[in-house]
């Protein structure tokens, strides 16, 4: 075994970082020690193997994402300390939410304890009240009830089969009836015959106060996926969201926000940045103008998972842009909750639109007279264009410059809460008439901007 | 530091973000290669490199020009990668377990002329990669800096912000640990 001092010299020799005196020493060592020669050869081979590991190519050019993030987060050179300070305050939020969750659990635990304690106490009192008359006024004709054996006591407490639990309600009702009869008898008839004597109270009275049993059913994979929007700047987070979006073709998205009106500004800016047209229902337009606190719904079709991811990312970017350097402006959108469209949500969507937009049967015309298969006609394009013009988008081309390419994507914006859109509104009708045949892998999304306090 | 890097940094500090884009394009490939060896996953490596560039951008006014820009950038990337590995130490990527890297990185086509050589080389590379992945982030970093980046002790000390003596002893321990792991994997076969 080589001494550690020699091993160190050998590793440094492999690194090529020895003085001339040390090198001479190592050469002498290698000359006289076979073990040193072997170790040196091995270390050299390892270094060679490391140097010749394949160089993986960079899968994508990072220039664009880096510059985009700089713009989106409004980063500047020399703001590192500020960012650090901000990030320190950011951890308080998850800690606070954990604390709230713990407090809620504790409250639930305490409430359950008191609930069951009171219930059990009441049943015990009922039982005592039932026994007491018998003990205080023992009938000369009826013998004293024999104390229940430990077995008899234990037996009813342990339900042996499901039948016992299933039958507990009729038994309880029967018990109550008997108790009432027994009370009556005690009041009116001091002497009770053994035949009329109420049966001893059963433990099922206690059982009946236990929480109702329920069976677990298998449910479809509808668990929501929660995505932190700020993390969408990361490739891995985007990939995860994309993977989720590729699992189905219709999704229900929720963007919880403190104020739906403010959050809608961010969505509108994001849509403008990505050239997504917003076809806003008249009622929604009024509420947006008045900046009333409202929950909004966006319904989109023919949007690919990549486009949707980009849209959500842009919403986050717009939110950060609005809050950057403004002390009085709160962040509106932190998380995206993604679920596959449930039957309930689909029904809700159908109610809002006045037609179920999900199935696209070939020869079916919707109740509003819209053919879902028809492409965007001139007649439709015109009112859509007018609506855009009313909202100031898309921007009018400057004189002398080429006209901007019209948007491919259109999102229908409706109010959701507290006001609902009027059934068969002009905007809904135009949207449905302007539907295009779906692209491969494209999605339909029902996005809700929900104000949460 | 090259005059061109200096000019681009000056432009960045004046608010020209596009100049930073040139720096990203210039160094991203080299940075990615080293970071990839530190985190062993393509997506994570991209995230770490992206994060390193963003951190560098925000600290750009703190860059005094005492060292090369790449060394400074490399320091940020290595530190980001090490802290990333510490955070994700418990996670084991399927890619590493399945040696899926081979599917992504084809071997040198010239080796196809000697199939058995190619096979031996692939096996050896796999063993080295697995052994490297089992080292601590600090040991892995010194080996990557020395063997893959070909850095001197002095530069390594500057990047990792530790004394040269620490670099020397870390490298010594890392080499011996790597050797031990390789011997074990050879014995298994």
């Amino acid at each position: 075994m080589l001494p550690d001092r020699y091993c160190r010299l050998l590793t440094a020799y492999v690194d090529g970082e020895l003085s001339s005196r040390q090198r001479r020493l190592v050469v002498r060592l290698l000359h006289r020690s076979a073990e040193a020669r072997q170790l040196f050869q091995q270390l050299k081979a390892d270094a060679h193997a490391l140097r010749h590991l394949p160089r993986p190519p960079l899968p994508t050019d990072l220039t664009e994402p880096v510059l985009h993030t700089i713009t989106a987060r409004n980063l500047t050179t020399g703001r590192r300390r500020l960012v650090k300070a901000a990030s320190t305050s950011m951890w308080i939020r998850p800690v606070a939410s954990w604390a709230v969750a713990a407090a809620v659990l504790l409250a639930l635990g305490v409430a359950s304890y008191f609930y069951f304690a009171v219930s059990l106490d009441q049943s015990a009192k009922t039982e005592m009240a039932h026994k007491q008359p018998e003990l205080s006024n023992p009938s000369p004709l009826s013998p004293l009830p024999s104390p229940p054996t430990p077995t008899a006591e234990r037996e009813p407490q342990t339900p042996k089969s499901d039948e016992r639990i299933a039958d507990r309600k009729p038994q309880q009702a029967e018990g109550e009836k008997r108790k009432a009869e027994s009370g009556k008898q005690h009041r009116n008839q001091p002497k009770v015959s053994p035949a009329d004597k109420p049966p001893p109270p059963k433990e099922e009275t206690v059982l009946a106060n236990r929480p109702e049993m329920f069976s677990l059913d298998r449910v479809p994979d509808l668990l929501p996926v929660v995505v932190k929007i700020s993390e969408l700047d990361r490739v891995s987070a985007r990939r995860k969201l994309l993977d989720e979006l590729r699992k189905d073709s219709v999704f229900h998205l929720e963007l919880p926000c403190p104020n739906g009106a403010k959050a809608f500004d961010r969505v509108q800016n994001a849509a403008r940045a990505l050239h997504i047209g917003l076809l806003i229902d008249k009622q929604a337009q009024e509420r947006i103008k008045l900046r009333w606190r409202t929950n909004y719904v966006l319904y989109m079709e023919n949007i690919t998972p990549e486009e949707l991811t980009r849209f959500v990312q842009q919403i986050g970017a717009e939110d950060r842009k609005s809050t950057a350097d403004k002390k009085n402006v709160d962040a509106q959108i932190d998380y995206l909750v993604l679920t596959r469209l449930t039957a309930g949500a689909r029904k809700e969507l159908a109610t809002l639109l006045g037609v179920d937009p999900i199935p696209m049967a070939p020869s079916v015309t919707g109740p509003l007279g819209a053919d879902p298969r028809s492409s965007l006609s001139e007649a439709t394009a015109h009112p859509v264009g007018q609506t855009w013009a009313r909202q100031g988008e898309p921007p009018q081309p400057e004189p002398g410059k080429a006209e901007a390419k019209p948007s491919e994507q259109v999102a229908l914006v409706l109010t959701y809460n507290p006001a609902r859109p009027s059934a068969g509104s002009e905007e809904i009708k135009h949207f449905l008439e302007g539907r295009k045949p779906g692209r491969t892998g494209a999605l339909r999304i029902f996005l809700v901007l929900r104000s949460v306090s | 530091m090259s005059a061109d890097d200096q000019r681009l940094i000056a432009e960045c500090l004046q608010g020209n973000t596009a100049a930073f884009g040139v720096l990203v394009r210039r160094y991203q490939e080299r940075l990615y290669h080293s970071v990839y060896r530190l985190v062993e996953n393509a997506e994570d490596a991209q995230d770490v490199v992206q994060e390193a560039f963003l951190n560098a951008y925000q600290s750009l006014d703190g860059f005094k020009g005492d060292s090369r820009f790449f060394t400074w950038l490399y320091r940020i990337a290595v530190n980001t990668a090490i802290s990333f590995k510490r955070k994700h130490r418990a996670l084991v990527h399927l890619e590493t377990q399945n040696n899926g890297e081979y599917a992504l990185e084809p071997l040198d086509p010239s080796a196809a002329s000697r199939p058995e050589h190619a096979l031996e080389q692939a096996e050896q590379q796999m063993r080295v990669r697995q052994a490297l992945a089992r080292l601590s982030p600090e040991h892995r970093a010194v080996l990557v800096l020395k063997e893959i980046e070909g850095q001197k002790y002095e530069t390594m000390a500057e990047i990792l912000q530790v004394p040269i003596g620490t670099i020397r002893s870390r490298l010594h321990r890392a080499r011996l640990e790597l050797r031990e792991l390789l011997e074990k994997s050879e014995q298994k076969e």
Side-chain angles (χ1 to χ4, degrees):
Chain A
M1 184 75 186
L2 278 174
D4 188 54
R5 190 167 62 92
Y6 290 148
C7 282
R8 282 180 183 275
L9 279 175
L10 282 175
T11 51
Y13 190 54
V14 174
D15 295 337
E17 301 252 2
L18 286 181
S19 64
S20 55
R21 195 183 65 81
Q22 285 171 322
R23 262 201 307 275
R24 280 199 299 276
L25 196 71
V26 172
V27 170
R28 274 206 299 278
L29 174 71
L30 290 173
H31 187 70
R32 64 165 194 265
S33 164
E35 196 186 352
R37 276 199 300 278
Q38 194 193 356
L39 179 63
F40 174 67
Q41 287 305 329
Q42 285 170 338
L43 291 174
K44 225 168 114 179
D46 294 347
H48 181 266
L50 279 173
R51 253 173 260 145
H52 290 85
L53 282 177
R55 296 180 78 89
L58 182 64
T60 47
D61 185 0
L62 295 174
T63 317
E64 199 270 329
V66 168
L67 295 184
H68 176 262
T69 313
I70 287 171
T71 318
R73 288 193 200 166
N74 206 13
L75 301 180
T76 53
T77 52
R79 283 194 58 198
R80 188 77 186 126
R81 275 179 205 151
L82 288 176
V83 170
K84 266 186 180 173
S87 64
T88 316
S89 66
M90 285 297 280
W91 68 266
I92 295 170
R93 207 177 285 183
V95 168
S97 48
W98 276 108
V100 169
V104 168
L105 278 173
L106 188 69
L108 275 173
V110 171
S112 326
Y113 170 78
F114 281 114
Y115 172 75
F116 288 113
V118 167
S119 302
L120 289 170
D121 190 40
Q122 273 177 354
S123 53
K125 276 179 184 168
T126 316
E127 199 179 342
M128 283 301 290
H130 192 78
K131 280 179 180 174
Q132 224 163 5
E134 288 170 15
L135 293 169
S136 56
N137 302 313
S139 164
L141 296 173
S142 61
L144 276 170
S146 60
T149 60
T151 325
E153 247 183 3
R154 273 197 307 272
E155 205 175 22
Q157 282 176 349
T158 318
K160 280 182 181 173
S161 67
D162 291 341
E163 273 176 34
R164 194 171 189 102
I165 295 162
D167 290 346
R168 66 176 185 259
K169 280 186 179 173
Q171 282 173 354
Q172 186 190 7
E174 201 184 333
E176 281 169 5
K177 198 178 163 189
R178 280 175 186 163
K179 267 185 255 170
E181 279 173 5
S182 147
K184 226 180 197 177
Q185 282 166 357
H186 277 294
R187 279 195 302 274
N188 302 333
Q189 301 170 355
K191 287 181 182 180
V192 182
S193 69
D196 294 334
K197 187 178 75 90
K202 291 184 178 178
E203 290 294 328
E204 276 74 8
T205 324
V206 178
L207 255 179
N209 285 315
R210 286 186 185 173
E212 206 169 304
M213 296 295 285
F214 57 90
S215 59
L216 295 172
D217 288 333
R218 194 177 285 276
V219 292
D221 179 17
L222 292 171
L223 288 175
V225 176
V226 182
V227 179
K228 191 161 169 51
I229 293 178
S230 60
E231 285 180 359
L232 286 175
D233 290 336
R234 300 168 70 101
V235 180
S236 49
R238 282 201 297 273
R239 184 68 56 86
K240 274 178 202 161
L241 178 59
L242 282 171
D243 288 345
E244 285 300 325
L245 291 172
R246 285 185 187 122
K247 287 180 183 171
D248 209 339
S249 59
V250 194
F251 285 97
H252 174 194
L253 291 88
E254 291 267 346
L255 288 174
C257 50
N259 185 328
K262 284 182 184 174
F264 184 76
D265 286 345
R266 275 66 156 169
V267 173
Q268 202 169 18
N269 291 340
R272 191 176 289 136
L274 299 179
H275 303 290
I276 296 172
L278 296 181
L279 186 54
I280 306 177
D281 175 71
K282 203 170 231 173
Q283 195 169 22
Q285 282 184 38
E286 282 167 15
R287 295 188 77 89
I288 291 164
K289 205 184 287 175
L290 295 166
R291 300 193 68 76
W292 281 348
R293 201 183 170 93
T294 314
N295 291 352
Y296 293 100
V297 160
L298 270 84
Y299 178 65
M300 286 180 87
E301 292 186 337
N302 231 350
I303 184 166
T304 61
E306 290 77 14
E307 288 165 346
L308 180 56
T309 307
R310 183 97 176 108
F311 185 36
V312 176
Q313 198 184 350
Q314 188 65 36
I315 292 171
E318 293 296 337
D319 193 32
R320 285 193 294 268
K321 209 188 280 179
S322 308
T323 52
D325 301 328
K326 288 178 192 168
K327 280 179 187 171
N328 298 327
V329 180
D330 295 329
Q332 291 295 320
I333 304 160
D334 277 347
Y335 293 95
L336 165 74
V337 183
L338 176 78
T339 337
R340 295 185 202 191
L341 196 75
T342 57
R346 183 173 169 178
K347 201 176 162 190
E348 194 73 13
L349 178 62
T351 313
L352 284 169
L353 297 181
V355 56
D356 187 355
I358 308 304
M360 287 185 73
S363 58
V364 172
T365 306
L368 296 171
D371 181 1
R373 291 173 304 141
S374 64
S375 60
L376 192 70
S377 63
E378 281 298 314
T380 311
H382 182 63
V384 170
Q386 277 185 327
T387 314
W388 274 336
R390 280 201 299 272
Q391 297 159 18
E393 33 174 280
Q396 295 298 314
E398 288 173 32
K401 283 191 178 175
E403 196 174 338
K405 197 184 163 193
S407 167
E408 293 275 325
Q409 295 290 340
V410 179
L412 178 66
V413 181
L414 306 169
T415 50
Y416 191 40
N417 193 30
R420 290 280 172 129
S422 51
S425 79
E426 222 175 290
E427 288 77 16
I428 296 175
K429 197 175 172 185
H430 288 321
F431 179 83
L432 294 171
E433 281 175 352
R435 296 162 92 190
K436 288 181 179 177
R439 288 184 283 167
T440 319
L443 310 173
R444 289 186 177 89
I445 61 153
F446 173 47
L447 190 153
V448 181
L449 276 175
R450 197 183 291 277
S451 303
V452 285
S453 51
Chain B
M1 185 172 64
S2 78
D4 196 35
D5 280 0
Q6 212 161 11
R7 180 182 59 79
L8 289 168
I9 291 163
E11 280 180 31
C12 287
L13 290 171
Q14 282 163 11
N16 181 4
T17 322
F20 193 70
V22 179
L23 289 169
V24 173
R25 207 166 291 124
R26 186 173 290 173
Y27 294 115
Q28 60 178 349
E29 190 85 38
R30 198 173 159 195
L31 214 54
Y32 172 77
H33 181 228
S34 297
V35 169
Y36 180 83
R37 289 288 163 229
L38 292 173
V39 297
E40 310 135 24
N41 179 282
E43 279 182 9
D44 292 344
Q46 283 180 74
D47 282 343
V48 167
V49 172
Q50 190 176 322
E51 201 58 42
F53 275 120
L54 292 174
N55 290 346
Y57 183 78
Q58 291 176 91
S59 316
L60 209 56
D61 67 337
F63 175 62
K64 304 286 178 224
D66 307 336
S67 58
R68 287 168 61 211
F69 177 67
F70 182 71
T71 309
W72 180 75
L73 188 63
Y74 203 87
R75 182 197 302 162
I76 294 172
V78 168
N79 288 333
T80 312
I82 289 176
S83 54
F84 177 87
K85 279 308 289 180
R86 280 199 195 119
K87 276 183 203 163
H88 298 80
R89 196 171 278 180
L91 297 177
V92 179
H93 288 290
L94 287 172
E95 193 182 316
T96 317
Q97 279 191 332
N98 299 338
N99 308 315
E101 207 177 61
Y102 285 103
L104 299 171
E105 292 171 22
L107 294 166
D108 182 359
S110 63
S113 56
R114 264 191 64 200
E116 69 281 359
H117 176 258
L119 192 67
E120 283 166 16
Q121 200 183 3
E123 280 177 359
Q124 173 65 8
Q125 283 177 355
M126 186 185 73
R127 276 200 297 268
V128 171
R129 246 193 316 252
Q130 282 178 343
L132 189 64
R134 291 183 66 184
L135 297 179
S136 68
E138 288 78 11
H139 284 180
R140 200 181 313 159
V142 286
L143 278 177
V144 167
L145 282 170
K146 184 73 205 166
E147 299 303 347
I148 295 173
E149 278 299 318
Q151 302 287 1
K152 291 265 172 206
Y153 281 179
E154 200 181 335
T155 317
M156 288 166 69
E158 196 183 323
I159 289 172
L160 297 173
Q161 292 179 299
V162 288
I164 288 180
T166 309
I167 295 290
R168 193 189 295 271
S169 62
R170 261 190 209 174
L171 251 175
H172 165 71
R173 284 198 300 271
R175 284 192 189 286
L176 292 184
E177 201 183 332
L178 183 77
R179 178 91 299 274
E180 203 180 313
L181 289 167
L182 286 171
E183 268 174 14
K184 274 183 193 166
S185 73
E186 280 160 17
Q187 278 167 10
K188 274 182 194 168
E189 289 165 15

